[in-house]
Amino acid sequence: METQPCNVLPHVILLSFPAQGHISPLLRLGKIFASKGMMVTLTAPNKDGIAEKIRISDKTISSEEPTSYGDGKIRFEFFADEAQGITVPEQYMENLERIGKRKLTEMIRESAEQGRPVCCLIYSCFIPWVADLGESLGIPSAPLWVQSAASFSAYYHYHHKLVPFPTESEPELDVQLPCMPVLKPYEIPSFLHPQSQFPALTDSILSIFKNLNKNCCVLMESFQELESEVINYMSKLCPIKPIGPLFLYSTNIASTSSANVSVNGYITDDCKEWLDSKPANSVVYVSFGSGDGVKPEQGDELAYGLLNSGVSFLWVIRPPKSDLLPKGFLEKAGEKGKIVQWSNQKQVLDHPSVACFLTHCGWNSTMETLSSGVPVLCFPIMGEQVTDAKYLVDEFRVGLRLSRGDFDKTIITRDEIEKCLREATAGPKAAELKQNAMKYKKAAEDAVAEGGSSHLTLLEFLDELKVEVPGEVKSTAKENTV
Ligand code: UDP
């Protein structure tokens, strides 16, 4: 296939909700498209100065000018969200729809005028109106679903009222979804429980299901071999395309930093030297993603659980949470412990000294740990994290459960944490978890390698768009450079 001149590269626009968990995976996808010879515009409202922070974090894409990436190009375009004074989440969403539709329409028009018509709109959760816009302009659209197929199925069945879910009068009801294990009330995505404290979030997530038939498909950050039964089942109900793990694809350009964009603007701390100083399989990595993390009351127990286990730990705690640690704790931990504000998580998980990951089970972290062959201690907090924990512990068998998320009104004690840490890092259980985790690492690498399930699905997607791309994804998983 001949390379087309740059000014006619097929143009895809990725629209993100302004949050870490949305922008990072869309950027990963954008880089794959760019590496295949597309012009990619990643756009988002500039909420809380996110644009400047991203530019600080990701030096590979530093301006609105297209940056060459593989056989294609990639650029950011942020727009003012005009949300001054708006504090109510529902109002922010309404405002975003109004402003976003206008901006996106302008962008599409300008691009067409420049002889570069937009061939596809990809968007993250919470902004389902992109499908309406795509339909009205005759441009195919697809959401990128950055949760498991199992969670997708739970939301889908809930939205269409296909199976009973817990209600105010029956809060303890178990949920049986097709091709999935029975989920206890504390194992369904917690936003679907009547006691959820975040009804606005529930509505935002579910809104995507109202518009599904206006999309050409749903791109999914999962892979066939990980969730085969539920993927096969859900594929009969709607066109889902598992194309993950996105960060395992490699491109022509070696850049790992940008796959770890810190939208919060924290500088990534270098952990390598400290990890290098530790023996193999001796460190627990502790991170609760980009959200608020554990309740302040949990801080002491977690800290002393780590300390008493005798296992070295690398713990991500961001500034507003710095007071989580008990007085004098760091002095007691000495060389055994390191606290950082933000890590290059993939680099940490790939380090031989890391034995396990104490995680909140966000889906990105779940995919990253599975793809790195690192066992987990599950400390879910809310949302889909509790469902991910169920799968990590009971289905994938790569972890132990510490918390039940929002439903755990109790504090997890230091003794429980110490016991689980010891079990997950040494002895027969640790060996079993590691063996299982390594199986998923191999499966994830195979999925994105040339001819693997995710790679083929990605090519199928581009084929359906009728996009002629000059390059081929260099997806030798061993390079891991996206
Ligand atoms: N992350 C990181 N460094 C950190 C903490 C988190 O790079 O110190 C990244 C992590 O690799 C993942 C993302 O932030 O890609 C967190 O996403 P996840 O879905 O796990 O959790 P969320 O933040 O959405 O709750």
Side-chain angles (χ1 to χ4, degrees), residues 81-151:
D81 63 1
E82 300 177 23
Q84 292 85 346
I86 298 183
T87 48
V88 180
E90 287 86 344
Q91 276 174 15
Y92 183 81
M93 293 302 195
E94 275 170 33
N95 184 66
L96 179 57
E97 176 165 354
R98 195 170 49 81
I99 307 293
K101 268 187 179 163
R102 199 179 72 216
K103 292 287 176 191
L104 202 55
T105 309
E106 276 167 25
M107 263 182 235
I108 292 167
R109 200 195 56 234
E110 276 168 24
S111 192
E113 283 168 6
Q114 289 160 6
R116 221 176 43 197
V118 173
C119 66
C120 188
L121 301 169
I122 312 271
Y123 59 98
S124 67
C125 241
F126 297 0
I127 41 182
W129 45 263
V130 179
D132 296 320
L133 189 69
E135 191 183 54
S136 69
L137 298 175
I139 301 172
S141 68
L144 175 63
W145 179 258
V146 186
Q147 292 185 32
S148 64
S151 292

Side-chain angles (χ1 to χ4, degrees), residues 149-430:
S151 292
F152 184 84
S153 171
Y155 284 112
Y156 184 97
H157 283 84
Y158 180 92
H159 174 73
H160 291 287
K161 301 189 171 50
L162 297 174
V163 303
F165 274 79
T167 58
E168 294 284 0
S169 55
E170 255 189 308
E172 296 300 328
L173 194 72
D174 289 349
V175 177
Q176 176 67 77
L177 292 155
C179 303
M180 283 173 58
V182 172
L183 299 180
K184 297 276 170 211
Y186 56 84
E187 292 168 341
I188 58 171
S190 72
F191 302 140
L192 295 182
H193 198 276
Q195 283 158 15
S196 166
Q197 293 155 21
F198 305 97
L201 269 181
T202 315
D203 291 346
S204 300
I205 297 173
L206 284 172
S207 60
I208 218 169
F209 292 86
K210 290 184 196 143
N211 262 359
L212 274 188
N213 59 352
K214 295 182 183 164
N215 297 124
C216 62
C217 67
V218 177
L219 298 174
M220 198 170 269
E221 169 61 315
S222 184
F223 58 99
Q224 179 69 33
E225 294 71 16
L226 183 66
E227 302 187 272
S228 60
E229 283 189 38
V230 65
I231 286 175
N232 290 343
Y233 183 84
M234 288 311 297
S235 300
K236 292 182 201 138
L237 302 181
C238 86
I240 57 172
K241 289 194 186 299
I243 53 169
L246 294 173
F247 69 96
L248 276 188
Y249 289 85
S250 69
T251 68
N252 301 344
I253 292 183
S255 163
T256 48
S257 64
S258 44
N260 275 289
V261 170
S262 157
V263 176
N264 295 308
Y266 302 118
I267 305 296
T268 303
D269 288 296
D270 185 12
C271 313
K272 192 172 175 308
E273 203 177 314
W274 185 84
L275 288 169
D276 283 347
S277 72
K278 303 291 171 209
N281 283 317
S282 67
V283 174
V284 56
Y285 170 59
V286 185
S287 169
F288 295 90
S290 56
D292 281 348
V294 288
K295 305 175 261 208
E297 318 83 88
Q298 182 67 65
D300 275 20
E301 295 308 300
L302 186 49
Y304 280 106
L306 287 166
L307 196 63
N308 298 347
S309 73
V311 178
S312 295
F313 59 88
L314 174 63
W315 189 353
V316 179
I317 305 180
R318 287 186 301 286
K321 287 267 172 183
S322 309
D323 53 359
L324 198 66
L325 298 176
K327 263 210 168 74
F329 171 74
L330 283 179
E331 291 69 28
K332 282 186 196 146
E335 262 307 292
K336 281 251 169 200
K338 183 171 171 71
I339 307 289
V340 295
Q341 290 191 6
W342 193 258
S343 73
N344 179 335
Q345 183 158 300
K346 184 64 180 104
Q347 196 183 69
V348 170
L349 291 172
D350 275 340
H351 198 284
S353 67
V354 172
C356 78
F357 180 12
L358 197 162
T359 170
H360 75 313
C361 308
W363 187 244
N364 287 300
S365 294
T366 298
M367 288 288 273
E368 289 161 21
T369 203
L370 285 168
S371 311
S372 311
V374 176
V376 286
L377 287 178
C378 299
F379 206 120
I381 295 172
M382 62 159 97
E384 88 285 0
Q385 298 157 12
V386 294
T387 315
D388 300 343
K390 160 79 180 167
Y391 269 75
L392 284 163
V393 175
D394 293 337
E395 299 297 305
F396 309 146
R397 296 179 181 277
V398 299
L400 304 175
R401 189 201 296 268
L402 272 172
S403 138
R404 291 177 171 188
D406 319 29
F407 285 87
D408 247 333
K409 301 292 176 220
T410 54
I411 297 294
I412 315 295
T413 66
R414 63 189 70 190
D415 291 348
E416 288 171 81
I417 294 168
E418 178 189 342
K419 181 174 160 288
C420 276
L421 268 168
R422 287 183 188 279
E423 209 178 328
T425 48
K429 188 70 189 175

